[in-house]
Amino acid sequence: MSIGNSNSPEEERPSTDDRSEDRLVERSVEEPSIGTALKKARIAAGLTVDEVSSTTRVRIPIVHAIEEDDFTRCGGDVYARGHIRTLARAVHLDPEPLVESYDAAHGGRPAPTPAAPMFEAERIRPERQRPNWTAAMVAAIVAVIGFVGFTAFSGGDAKEKRPVAEGSASAKPAPKQSGGTPAAQPSQAPTAPKPEPSNSAIAAAPKDLVTVVLTADTGESWISAKDSTGRLLFDGTLVQGESKTFTDKEAVDLVLGDAGVVKLFVNGKEIKDDFRPGQVERLTYTKEDPSRDQPQAG
């Protein structure tokens, strides 16, 4: 009886480790990574990295890093999720599967936390009742315009009447009392009427400004606001019920740390977007906003 070297069926059967590796390979082939999916969608849309960066206001190095699945430059999980959503919308992708993939790869989505501890390092010392310098500036402009208008219409008459009044006062003798001494007269200093802003003066106030009003409606939110030159207007946390107003001649750039709790009014009209709690949004508004395709408060 000869003994051969033929293998038994158990020896020819692939091991469990081999089958697991094959499944991982198949899964990696079927499901592209987040960065690969974003890059393919961008190329399919005919967009360059510079164009995506200009549209989303996400810096070019961060766009390149995300397309290489490097999220260390995003500044944390909250910003990484916000960048993924922003880039996915720019290249016409559904952002939710990508965010879910990111959460699965980074330990899941954390439980919602108040916005204040998250941005404590960047928080400016809160002041409950800060002077509204924007309103004070507008009031000063209205007062100046009202004074100029009042002077233009009534200044000429006042100049003509003033010498006559002074001359008649100096020529009139003081009345005498029974004792022969002139009676003392109360000093009468000429007082100019205080100008009050009229409806025409208010109508003449500048109207070519972008006006953005933010209110922390249902919770706290960190916000950042810049004007069209890149100058920082505000960087801090709005507590619940607090409001901020920002104006500029060209545009106002916003970053909302928790857009789901913020009410937003642009040029006197409410902007209604379905922002979710904890969602980071980067927004820009100009004098022409809100545009016709944006939902408005009815």
Side-chain angles (χ1 to χ4, degrees):
M1 182 177 179
S2 62
I3 299 175
N5 293 327
S6 60
N7 295 328
S8 63
E10 289 77 6
E11 294 175 348
E12 294 178 356
R13 185 179 302 168
S15 65
T16 303
D17 294 339
D18 293 338
R19 289 197 299 271
S20 299
E21 292 178 358
D22 291 340
R23 284 196 297 269
L24 291 175
V25 171
E26 290 177 358
R27 182 176 298 176
S28 63
V29 172
E30 293 175 358
E31 298 179 2
S33 65
I34 297 173
T36 302
L38 291 173
K39 186 174 182 179
K40 286 183 178 180
R42 174 179 61 77
I43 295 174
L47 299 173
T48 65
V49 173
D50 291 346
E51 291 172 339
V52 171
S53 175
S54 176
T55 301
T56 62
R57 296 186 178 272
V58 178
R59 293 188 292 114
I60 292 176
I62 296 179
V63 177
H64 280 298
I66 291 177
E67 289 189 351
E68 298 296 329
D69 294 307
D70 179 9
F71 301 98
T72 58
R73 306 192 63 172
C74 294
D77 290 340
V78 173
Y79 287 106
R81 293 186 188 93
H83 292 332
I84 291 172
R85 285 192 178 94
T86 301
L87 295 178
R89 290 169 183 153
V91 297
H92 313 298
L93 278 182
D94 183 8
E96 295 308 320
L98 299 180
V99 174
E100 292 176 359
S101 178
Y102 177 86
D103 291 338
H106 293 80
R109 185 180 182 90
T113 56
M118 186 181 304
F119 300 99
E120 192 67 28
E122 301 179 15
R123 179 176 178 177
I124 297 176
R125 182 176 299 173
E127 296 179 4
R128 292 287 179 155
Q129 296 180 351
R130 296 183 180 178
N132 193 337
W133 296 113
T134 302
M137 180 179 65
V138 173
I141 293 174
V142 172
V144 170
I145 294 175
F147 180 77
V148 172
F150 178 82
T151 305
F153 286 106
S154 63
D157 295 338
K159 290 181 180 179
E160 292 176 0
K161 294 178 180 179
R162 187 176 301 166
V164 176
E166 292 175 355
S168 60
S170 61
K172 183 182 294 184
K176 294 183 179 181
Q177 294 180 350
S178 59
T181 58
Q185 292 184 349
S187 59
Q188 297 179 353
T191 58
K194 295 182 180 180
E196 297 181 358
S198 61
N199 293 332
S200 61
I202 295 174
K207 294 182 179 180
D208 57 341
L209 296 176
V210 186
T211 303
V212 177
V213 180
L214 296 174
T215 301
D217 185 32
T218 59
E220 296 181 345
S221 177
W222 171 85
I223 65 169
S224 175
K226 296 181 179 179
D227 63 12
S228 57
T229 65
R231 182 173 63 91
L232 186 65
L233 301 175
F234 180 79
D235 187 3
T237 300
L238 286 185
V239 298
Q240 185 173 0
E242 188 177 9
S243 297
K244 288 290 180 184
T245 302
F246 307 104
T247 59
D248 187 68
K249 293 183 179 179
E250 299 295 336
V252 174
D253 295 336
L254 300 174
V255 179
L256 307 181
D258 191 351
V261 304
V262 175
K263 272 192 175 183
L264 178 60
F265 293 82
V266 177
N267 297 328
K269 296 184 178 179
E270 184 176 0
I271 303 299
K272 288 191 175 180
D273 285 337
D274 294 329
F275 297 140
R276 297 183 178 181
Q279 181 174 347
V280 178
E281 284 293 333
R282 296 172 179 268
L283 307 167
T284 299
Y285 293 103
T286 63
K287 292 180 289 186
E288 289 76 22
D289 290 322
S291 57
R292 293 181 180 179
D293 58 346
Q294 287 181 310
Q296 302 175 7

